[in-house]
């Protein structure tokens, strides 16, 4: 079984009637369903690869690597381990424990169709995308004598290193694995070396379109994904067959969408978290669906803090959810189940040892919770182990089956190389120095709507607004960068857009994948991305971005590194402004944003990879959209807010994660920016000195299914964590809004929920390990 990345072609044939955007000057008709033949290779295999690392000292550094060019055979017989790891590590890349992170050595490591035998782990180094042929995903076959933690290892333990690993797990960014079959069935079933992926990662990471085959023997120790720590992250469109565990996971937060687990002992075992969201999970013929280690009520005994499960189906599985400890009418692991269909499931929610909390059967659980539930301005916690409010879900957010809509990262498997145009082939340099504005505008003017625009790896400088027209598909290579630079973006009183996604009021398909949007500082007047485009009628998620991020500062070429902006500096340095606003979603726009990371750097990615910096961005993500908008992602360290919804409607957000600026309250919010009514900035009453994680004003039909809002520092000092006083308030909803919040976890803030600027729900009511958790809140 494999997932069909060619599914895009099913809808693509209708685009001629749906796209209302103007075509490029060389176009006679819009791009159709793709002309790649059934025997043709995936386009990525044969397109000309001329991507560069803009700031690398070696101008010949190789970004794209085909494992067969390094000696891999893919014949199902030859041990390809050494050749694959040579393809990954070539060029002095970042790993081994001596390099924490880098932006200098991006790599796509490509696997043509075939079967690749491995006898030890494939090491996925920092800033690596492992990509298989999307038309015929290759198999990674673990040999019978396989030794090591997993077939793919994203954070290896250093031999004789006393538990040290290659990377700090919370900073293990920028990794993706897609389009593989991972088969460990040759490994003796009793050996845990039969693990598919060791995935201890942080933000800007993804797994997609992967099928795991594991032993179904009674004594199997095999597992699909093993994850012990981190701060993620997104994974989706995965299938697990057999094994002791489909997923054995622990991480601060994660979003998991559209996975299927067949014939495993346990589909998902979770040993700790602050909050995970599972959306669209299908469990068939397992013994337990979700097995949760619970009961850890202190930071030193952290276990599963919050689980939110939505739009899921369990069939012929005796237990859907099992807690390791009874709740005893106290919060010790929050659980929310929404729209779960059970087919021949004896126990819906139980406890190890046999106690039944919620009976199963063949039924649908509409909305059920275990934990502390709050209403409106009431500050008193009500512990619930039963039905909770079921939000009204706007039809625009739902698919045809009534579930929250989701759409896989487009990979254009049905398209031929001739249907792409390379920006470097048409005059853009991507060298991080040349002004590429005119070249990029000319490319869009000529080819928008009838070609897929391929941004070869590099950093493309623009000095005025670059518009990506409706009707366009943009594909990056190992996170190609578009960076705004120069005088146009330096006036904080007259902010200007760096990248405009669609003209105002435009409608049509618009897809962006594997890109980074950034600035070269100082740019206090930069609106990094303005999102205007509306999806075509009848094509949900037709305007979206996948594995695409806004990264501000902390990287070579940004002029916003530790040399210019150390955290030890005195006062605000005028040279350390990164942006006015990271992302603005306009009122008429729609947006499907999966895995987006809008990050203002708190530390250098280059250099030692750990030194803190003080740089400034005014605002994170502002949405004024009437919807539909789907958001899965993160916004961190912006001065006024991370997420702000103003006059917005029809939004699904889950899981969203934020961090407040480390430097606050020195200076205190809104400094070094000011409140600007034109940009619908929130107000801050006396005593508030830190940014809002989430601010909602005059907005309706907002569903938040999983949120982690964190404040770890007070002027770079973490003593405040002991007293939960790093800031006083972090989420504000005005009384004119209609918002339903499920599975909200916060760190370091006195109040978790505020209404009209007044703190309502205190964290002290909801201690749940290191974090505090509100199981549900609504008006």
């Amino acid at each position: 079984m494999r997932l069909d990345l060619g599914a895009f072609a099913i809808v693509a044939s209708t685009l001629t009637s749906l796209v209302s955007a103007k075509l490029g000057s060389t176009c006679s008709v819009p791009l159709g369903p793709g002309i790649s033949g059934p025997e043709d290779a995936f386009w990525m295999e044969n397109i000309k690869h001329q991507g560069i690392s803009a700031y690398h000292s070696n101008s010949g550094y190789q970004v794209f690597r085909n494992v067969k060019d390094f000696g891999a055979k893919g014949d199902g017989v030859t041990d390809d381990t050494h050749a694959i790891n040579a393809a990954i590590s070539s060029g002095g890349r970042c790993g081994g424990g001596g390099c924490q992170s880098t932006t200098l050595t991006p790599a796509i490591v490509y696997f043509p169709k075939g079967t690749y035998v491995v006898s030890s782990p494939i090491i996925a180094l920092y800033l690596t995308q492992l990509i298989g042929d999307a038309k015929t995903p290759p198999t990674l076959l673990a040999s019978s004598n396989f030794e090591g933690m997993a077939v793919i290892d994203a954070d290896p333990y250093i031999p004789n290193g006393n538990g040290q690993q290659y990377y700090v797990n919370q900073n293990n960014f920028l990794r993706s694995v897609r389009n593989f079959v991972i088969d460990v069935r040759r490994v003796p079933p009793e050996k845990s070396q039969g693990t598919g992926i060791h995935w201890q990662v942080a933000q800007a990471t993804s797994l997609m379109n992967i099928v795991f085959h594991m032993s179904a023997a009674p004594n199997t120790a095999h597992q699909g994904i093993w994850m012990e720590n981190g701060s993620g992250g997104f994974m989706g469109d995965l299938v697990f067959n057999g094994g002791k565990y489909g997923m054995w996971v622990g991480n601060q937060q994660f979003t998991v969408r559209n996975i299927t687990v067949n014939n495993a002992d346990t589909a998902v075992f979770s040993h700790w978290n602050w909050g995970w969201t599972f959306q669209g999970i299908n469990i068939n013929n397992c013994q337990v669906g979700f097995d949760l280690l619970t009961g850890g009520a202190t930071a030193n005994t952290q276990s599963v803090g919050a689980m939110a499960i939505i739009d899921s189906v369990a069939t012929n599985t005796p237990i859907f959810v099992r807690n390791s400890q009874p709740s005893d009418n106290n919060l010790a692991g929050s659980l929310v189940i929404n729209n779960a269909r059970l087919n021949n499931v004896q126990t819906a929610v139980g406890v190890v040892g046999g106690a039944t909390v919620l009976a199963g059967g063949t039924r649908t659980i509409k909305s059920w919770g275990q934990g502390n539930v709050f209403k409106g301005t009431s500050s008193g916690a009500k512990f619930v182990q039963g039905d909770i409010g079921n939000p009204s879900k706007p039809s625009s957010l739902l698919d045809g089956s009534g579930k929250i809509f989701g759409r896989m990262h487009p990979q254009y498997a049905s398209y031929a190389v001739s249907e792409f145009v390379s920006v470097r082939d048409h005059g853009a340099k991507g060298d991080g120095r040349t002004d590429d504005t005119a070249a990029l505008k000319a490319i869009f003017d000529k080819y928008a709507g009838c070609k897929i625009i391929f941004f070869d790896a590099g950093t493309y400088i623009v000095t005025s607004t670059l518009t990506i027209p409706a009707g366009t598909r943009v594909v990056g290579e190992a996170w190609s960068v578009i960076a705004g630079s120069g005088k146009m973006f330096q006036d904080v009183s007259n902010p200007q857009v760096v990248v405009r996604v669609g003209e105002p009021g435009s409608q049509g398909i618009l897809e962006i994948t594997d890109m980074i949007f950034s600035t070269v500082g100082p740019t206090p007047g930069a609106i990094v991305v303005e999102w205007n485009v509306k999806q075509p009628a009848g094509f949900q998620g037709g305007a979206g971005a996948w594995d695409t991020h806004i990264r501000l500062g902390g990287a070579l070429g940004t002029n916003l590194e530790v040399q210019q902006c150390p955290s030890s500096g005195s006062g605000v340095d005028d040279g350390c402004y990164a942006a006015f606003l990271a992302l603005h979603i306009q009122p008429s726009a729609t947006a499907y944003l999966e895995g987006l990371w809008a990050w203002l750097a708190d530390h250098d990615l280059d250099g030692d990879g750990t030194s803190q910096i003080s740089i400034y961005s005014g605002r994170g993500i502002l949405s004024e959209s009437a919807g539909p908008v789907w958001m899965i992602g993160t916004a961190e360290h912006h001065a006024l807010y991370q997420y702000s919804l103003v006059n917005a409607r029809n939004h699904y957000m889950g899981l969203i994660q934020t961090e407040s600026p480390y430097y606050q309250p020195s200076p205190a919010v809104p400094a070094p920016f000011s409140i600007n009514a034109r940009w619908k900035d929130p107000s801050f009453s006396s005593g508030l000195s830190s940014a809002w994680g989430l601010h909602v004003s005059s907005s309706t039909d907002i569903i938040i299914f999983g949120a982690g809002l964190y404040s770890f520092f007070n002027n770079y000092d973490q003593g405040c964590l002991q007293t939960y006083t790093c800031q006083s308030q972090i989420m504000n909803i005005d009384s004119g809004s209609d918002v339903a919040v499920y599975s909200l976890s916060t760190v370091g803030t006195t109040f978790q929920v505020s209404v009209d600027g007044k703190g309502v729900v205190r964290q002290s009511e909801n201690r749940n390990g290191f974090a505090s958790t509100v199981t549900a809140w609504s008006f």
Side-chain angles (χ1 to χ4, degrees):
M1 177 180 180
R2 81 173 185 88
L3 302 175
D4 182 14
L5 276 90
F8 175 78
I10 297 173
V11 296
S13 61
T14 67
L15 292 183
T16 300
S17 61
L18 294 176
V19 173
S20 59
K22 180 181 177 181
L23 294 175
S25 62
T26 66
C27 306
S28 56
V29 295
L31 187 68
I35 61 172
S36 179
E39 301 303 317
D40 293 342
F42 181 40
W43 65 267
M44 187 177 288
E45 189 167 329
N46 293 327
I47 198 169
K48 182 167 66 173
H49 290 286
Q50 53 189 340
I52 63 173
S53 175
Y55 304 107
H56 201 293
S57 58
N58 177 9
S59 61
Y61 174 81
Q62 182 180 358
V63 176
F64 180 86
R65 301 107 184 274
N66 185 322
V67 295
K68 290 195 170 182
D69 292 339
F70 289 78
K73 301 299 183 183
D75 57 10
V77 177
T78 305
D79 186 339
D80 286 324
T81 312
H82 177 76
I84 292 169
N85 281 324
I88 296 170
S89 61
S90 174
R93 301 194 64 231
C94 180
C99 172
Q100 288 297 317
S101 62
T102 184
T103 64
L104 291 180
T105 56
I108 287 180
V109 181
Y110 176 74
F111 294 69
K113 64 182 179 181
T115 297
Y116 299 84
V117 176
V118 293
S119 56
S120 60
I122 295 168
I123 308 302
L125 296 176
Y126 194 91
L127 196 54
T128 297
Q129 295 181 342
L130 301 180
I131 301 180
D133 181 333
K135 298 182 71 174
T136 309
T139 295
L140 303 177
L141 178 62
S143 64
S144 59
N145 63 341
F146 183 91
E147 290 292 337
M149 184 162 284
V151 172
I152 296 174
D153 194 341
D155 197 4
Y157 285 84
I158 298 169
N160 303 313
N162 296 317
Q164 295 298 305
Q165 293 176 265
Y166 276 25
Y167 313 106
V168 175
N169 63 78
Q170 296 94 338
N171 295 338
N172 197 13
F173 309 135
L174 295 164
R175 216 69 53 82
S176 184
V177 179
R178 60 189 77 157
N179 313 331
F180 289 100
V181 175
I182 300 178
D183 191 339
V184 299
R185 289 175 293 185
R186 288 188 179 180
V187 178
E190 70 276 8
K191 291 190 174 183
S192 62
Q193 288 96 321
T195 295
I197 299 179
H198 173 217
W199 197 242
Q200 184 174 248
V201 295
Q203 289 84 357
T205 58
S206 64
L207 300 174
M208 70 185 81
N209 194 39
I210 304 171
V211 177
F212 299 81
H213 291 305
M214 296 162 281
S215 170
N219 65 336
T220 183
H222 292 181
Q223 47 199 352
I225 295 171
W226 192 77
M227 178 194 302
E228 71 275 41
N229 214 324
S231 180
F234 170 80
M235 63 177 77
D237 305 293
L238 310 174
V239 176
F240 302 86
N241 296 313
K244 184 176 183 178
Y245 304 113
M247 301 168 58
W248 190 100
V249 291
N251 192 293
Q252 290 177 12
Q253 68 285 316
F254 235 94
T255 299
V256 181
R257 183 189 58 74
N258 188 30
I259 69 166
T260 298
V261 186
N262 302 310
N263 304 306
D265 290 348
T266 297
V268 177
F269 178 87
S270 182
H271 68 103
W272 83 276
N273 68 43
W274 299 341
W276 279 51
T277 293
F278 287 85
Q279 176 191 344
I281 311 304
N282 297 285
I283 299 169
N284 302 303
N285 303 308
C286 298
Q287 295 304 304
V288 180
F290 293 87
D291 213 356
L292 311 180
L293 182 64
T294 56
T298 69
N300 292 330
T301 60
Q302 179 74 57
S303 55
V304 172
M307 293 285 282
I309 304 167
I310 188 170
D311 294 340
S312 297
V313 180
T315 301
N316 298 328
T317 297
I319 302 172
F320 181 45
V321 179
R322 182 170 68 180
N323 297 304
S324 67
Q325 299 291 330
S327 67
D328 294 330
N329 294 316
N330 291 294
L331 176 65
S334 172
L335 174 64
V336 176
I337 303 172
N338 187 275
N339 189 32
R341 177 64 185 173
L342 308 183
N343 300 309
N344 190 28
V345 173
Q346 288 87 345
T347 302
V349 181
V351 180
V352 171
T356 297
V357 176
L358 177 65
T362 296
R363 55 176 294 204
T364 297
I365 301 172
K366 293 183 178 180
S367 188
W368 189 93
Q370 173 181 281
N372 291 346
V373 176
F374 296 82
K375 291 286 289 184
T377 57
S378 173
S379 60
K382 178 184 179 182
F383 180 81
V384 171
Q385 207 169 38
D387 292 340
I388 57 176
N390 192 13
S392 175
K393 300 170 186 172
S395 60
S396 64
L397 293 173
L398 307 179
D399 64 16
S401 66
K403 298 179 179 180
I404 295 294
F405 171 80
R407 184 175 173 215
M408 188 175 174
H409 177 132
Q411 296 196 71
Y412 311 108
S414 64
Y415 290 81
V417 171
S418 62
E419 295 175 284
F420 291 76
V421 293
S422 155
V423 297
R424 293 200 76 206
D425 271 349
H426 290 80
K429 300 296 185 184
D431 59 11
R433 298 169 182 84
T434 302
D435 184 350
D436 281 323
T437 313
L440 295 176
K441 287 181 177 180
I443 291 164
F444 287 122
D445 287 344
K446 290 179 181 178
Y447 298 107
C450 67
K451 297 287 186 181
I452 298 169
I453 310 300
F454 180 62
F455 273 76
D456 316 81
T459 297
Y460 298 85
I461 300 297
V462 296
T463 56
S464 62
T465 300
L466 176 69
T467 298
I468 303 175
T472 304
R473 301 159 184 84
V474 170
V475 177
E477 183 180 32
W479 293 291
S480 308
V481 178
I482 299 175
S485 178
K487 293 180 64 176
M488 184 170 178
F489 308 117
Q490 292 178 350
D491 185 355
V492 72
S493 66
N494 184 28
Q496 298 295 314
V497 174
V498 177
V499 176
R500 177 171 286 129
V501 180
E503 294 284 1
S506 63
Q507 183 174 14
I509 190 169
L510 204 154
E511 297 165 347
I512 302 173
T513 59
D514 296 308
M515 294 291 294
I516 286 176
F517 301 110
S518 188
T519 59
V520 177
T523 45
I527 300 169
V528 185
V529 178
E530 179 186 271
W531 193 281
N532 294 291
V533 67
K534 182 178 182 179
Q535 66 191 18
F539 188 1
Q540 277 185 305
W546 295 258
D547 284 270
T548 291
H549 312 295
I550 297 170
R551 187 193 69 205
L552 301 171
L556 279 172
T558 64
N559 293 339
L560 298 166
E561 298 179 88
V562 69
Q563 296 91 335
Q564 298 91 11
C565 307
S567 62
S568 58
S570 59
V572 175
D573 189 322
D574 287 343
C576 295
Y577 286 87
F580 180 89
L581 168 62
L583 171 63
H584 185 195
I585 307 175
Q586 294 278 25
S588 63
T590 68
Y592 183 89
L593 306 174
E594 188 170 270
L596 176 78
W597 187 36
W599 186 59
L600 177 73
D602 59 272
H603 67 279
D604 253 354
L605 295 178
D606 297 301
D608 62 9
T610 59
S611 293
Q612 290 181 322
I613 58 177
S614 286
I615 61 176
Y616 307 97
S617 166
R619 300 147 186 88
I621 298 173
L622 169 62
S623 179
E624 301 181 76
S625 170
V629 169
W630 301 266
M631 286 191 194
I632 296 170
T634 304
E636 297 183 305
H637 311 140
H638 306 276
L640 275 76
Y641 56 76
Q642 314 314 314
Y643 288 90
S644 181
L645 310 183
V646 181
N647 300 319
R649 301 196 305 276
N650 305 321
H651 282 47
Y652 173 80
M653 306 169 74
L655 185 144
I656 60 169
Q657 182 250 316
T658 73
E659 286 185 13
S660 300
Y662 295 179
Y663 62 79
Q664 288 177 339
S666 180
V669 70
F673 296 84
S674 58
I675 302 295
N676 190 327
R678 176 187 171 194
W679 291 95
K680 302 177 176 61
D681 287 341
S683 60
F684 295 87
S685 60
S686 176
L688 297 184
S689 57
S690 296
W692 293 116
L694 172 65
H695 162 259
V696 183
S697 174
S698 302
S699 298
T700 58
D701 289 319
I702 309 300
I703 302 169
I704 300 167
F705 208 78
L709 312 181
Y710 311 144
S711 187
F712 292 120
F713 292 87
N714 185 292
N715 191 19
Y716 293 102
D717 184 89
Q718 292 194 292
C720 56
L721 289 172
Q722 303 302 315
T723 54
Y724 319 108
T725 55
C726 296
Q727 68 184 77
S728 58
Q729 301 180 45
I730 202 163
M731 183 180 85
N732 184 51
I733 315 292
D734 78 352
S735 54
S737 293
D738 172 21
V739 181
V741 182
Y742 299 88
S743 196
L744 164 68
S745 292
T746 66
V747 170
T749 181
T750 304
F751 287 96
Q752 297 181 268
V753 181
S754 301
V755 176
D756 293 330
K758 181 180 179 180
V760 171
V761 177
R762 289 182 176 271
Q763 63 79 29
S764 56
E765 297 283 336
N766 304 301
R767 297 296 307 147
N768 189 28
F770 185 75
S772 301
T773 302
V774 172
T775 298
W777 177 91
S778 65
F779 281 116

